[in-house]
Amino acid sequence: MVMAANKPRTASFSRNFTAASSSVPSIPGLKHGPNGTMLLSSGIPDLDKILGGGFALGSLVMVMEDPEAPHHMLLLRNFMSQGLVHHQPLIYASPAKDPRGFLGTLPNPMVSKDVKSRVHETEQEKGLRIAWQYKKYFGEHSSESQRDGKSEYCNDFDLRKPLERHYFSGHQIECVSLKESADLGAFHERYSNFLSEANRNIGNMTGGRIAIQSLCSPQCEYSNREWERLSFIRTLKSVVRSSNEVAVVTFPPSLISTTFSIRLQHLADTLVSVRAIPDEDNELAKLLTGYQDMVGLLSMHKVARINTQVPSILEATTFSLKLQKRRSLTLECLNQAPVDGSSGSSYAFSGSCSKTAPLEF
């Protein structure tokens, strides 16, 4: 009777969260999601909020390109940089002749204000008096050590500053030129060998990233073989699902048939499209607040739902791409404002959709 009294009472529908959290170890660069899934950051904080935390491991992300502007490259750059910051294996494929040169365009993570304030406080506590010609070297060393010591799930990246060299050293990085491949079977064998080698070196690899740019580019020899590309996407999806990775594939829907584009969209776990906006459009400038800061639009067509049949319902599906201070990429929700012209909600700052004229039904 005493033992029964000391035992805590729990309902039949309650769950022991402490036991569940202790049984699953935490992995740097990943976090737990719903229904037993693991999430991996997209490299854009606002996009992670829209997706419910990030890309689910084992999912295939398809990005529909815009022929007028390469906004899909912004998504790829942040996605790849976030993987290198988290020391995750990365394989990048592109129709360019030298795809390794694209690594030089990856953005560098920004130092947050909290890190800067901590560095400033430590300098004041130590009471160091350094000559002005040496102080800049001390500041760089302190900020770098604080940045490396802080493990963030998603970083803000500075698009104007290239990724530092130390992020590339000692990492599993592979670059493949799709233009030199006679068929996609050779590329499939190459990334399969890369994944197996990464598993041997790291052991139980989790959170690897695959980035493929312009899969259906006419520069490749297999551009007219739709069934071969479709079979490759199906194989890639199965490999990503079994190895707990995330693959981001961009393709230009304007260069392929409508039927083939629809098939690719159905195979995607997460489907995103980017679109450019005109530089000067008086109608859009009146309709949208902060139009001058917009660089494009991002639309969410599908969000991955793994281990569940419940669909994901987003508050909004269209977001504006903005560059905050021309450095970091942000997403803002485009909502229909009330009749009085007050601003709506946003994922980043105060961007909203406003309309001057009253609504007519």
Side-chain angles (χ1 to χ4, degrees):
M1 296 296 295
V2 177
M3 295 180 60
N6 293 335
K7 185 178 180 180
R9 298 179 59 185
T10 56
S12 59
F13 54 84
S14 63
R15 182 180 177 183
N16 191 351
F17 290 96
T18 56
S21 60
S22 60
S23 60
V24 182
S26 59
I27 303 175
L30 303 177
K31 71 177 182 180
H32 300 284
N35 305 313
T37 60
M38 296 291 292
L39 301 178
L40 177 147
S41 176
S42 63
I44 305 175
D46 294 329
L47 184 56
D48 287 347
K49 295 178 183 178
I50 297 171
L51 296 171
F55 295 135
L57 288 185
S59 61
L60 173 64
V61 183
M62 303 288 290
V63 181
M64 293 186 289
E65 304 175 2
D66 185 8
E68 298 182 1
H71 292 324
H72 61 280
M73 305 296 288
L74 298 175
L75 305 181
L76 277 181
R77 288 189 178 99
N78 284 43
F79 174 75
M80 296 170 62
S81 293
Q82 190 66 73
L84 295 180
V85 170
H86 288 159
H87 308 283
Q88 297 168 344
L90 171 66
I91 181 168
Y92 168 69
S94 169
K97 187 176 181 180
D98 184 17
R100 187 166 291 273
F102 183 72
L103 299 179
T105 64
L106 300 183
N108 194 66
M110 299 174 58
V111 181
S112 61
K113 295 181 180 180
D114 296 336
V115 175
K116 291 181 179 179
S117 61
R118 285 198 302 267
V119 173
H120 184 66
E121 289 176 0
T122 53
E123 290 182 358
Q124 291 181 347
E125 290 177 359
K126 292 181 180 179
L128 297 178
R129 297 295 182 267
I130 305 176
W132 63 271
Q133 61 267 29
Y134 298 107
K135 187 175 182 180
K136 60 179 181 179
Y137 298 105
F138 178 81
E140 291 177 358
H141 178 72
S142 299
S143 60
E144 182 177 355
S145 61
Q146 291 287 344
R147 184 173 65 250
D148 294 340
K150 184 180 180 181
S151 175
E152 294 184 358
Y153 173 73
C154 184
N155 298 87
D156 285 319
F157 291 94
D158 189 351
L159 298 176
R160 300 184 301 178
K161 185 178 180 181
L163 192 63
E164 298 179 359
R165 290 179 176 266
H166 68 88
Y167 289 112
F168 296 97
S169 59
H171 289 69
Q172 295 286 335
I173 305 174
E174 182 77 14
C175 296
V176 181
S177 175
L178 297 177
K179 186 177 181 180
E180 298 178 355
S181 302
D183 53 10
L184 288 172
F187 174 58
H188 168 67
E189 182 179 359
R190 188 158 181 183
Y191 77 73
S192 297
N193 296 333
F194 171 78
L195 296 180
S196 60
E197 183 180 356
N199 281 325
R200 289 193 300 267
N201 296 336
I202 301 177
N204 296 327
M205 181 191 63
T206 303
R209 300 180 182 231
I210 300 177
I212 303 177
Q213 174 195 349
S214 301
L215 178 65
C216 305
S217 175
Q219 303 175 5
C220 304
E221 298 181 4
Y222 50 82
S223 59
N224 296 326
R225 291 174 276 183
E226 293 185 352
W227 285 107
E228 180 179 347
R229 290 177 293 179
L230 190 64
S231 177
F232 170 77
I233 291 297
R234 290 174 177 171
T235 306
L236 176 64
K237 185 176 181 179
S238 62
V239 171
V240 166
R241 189 66 58 88
S242 60
S243 59
N244 286 331
E245 295 185 342
V246 174
V248 177
V249 182
T250 68
F251 68 96
S254 59
L255 302 180
I256 59 180
S257 62
T258 305
T259 305
F260 181 62
S261 177
I262 294 175
R263 288 173 176 171
L264 290 180
Q265 296 176 29
H266 281 297
L267 287 175
D269 296 314
T270 299
L271 183 62
V272 183
S273 66
V274 290
R275 181 165 57 92
I277 57 177
D279 294 336
E280 296 181 359
D281 193 326
N282 295 329
E283 294 182 359
L284 283 179
K286 295 179 181 179
L287 181 65
L288 304 176
T289 59
Y291 173 77
Q292 301 298 332
D293 299 330
M294 295 182 185
V295 297
L297 298 175
L298 183 142
S299 300
M300 298 294 305
H301 304 278
K302 188 193 302 185
V303 178
R305 301 293 290 173
I306 300 178
N307 299 335
T308 182
Q309 296 181 354
V310 180
S312 177
I313 301 177
L314 302 178
E315 297 180 359
T317 57
T318 304
F319 306 88
S320 63
L321 286 167
K322 288 187 177 182
L323 293 179
Q324 182 187 3
K325 298 181 180 180
R326 299 182 180 180
R327 299 176 63 182
S328 60
L329 186 64
T330 59
L331 298 177
E332 294 186 358
C333 178
L334 295 180
N335 292 330
Q336 178 63 54
V339 179
D340 57 358
S342 60
S343 60
S345 60
S346 64
Y347 274 88
F349 296 96
S350 60
S352 61
C353 176
S354 61
K355 197 169 183 178
T356 57
L359 298 178
E360 296 180 359
F361 295 96

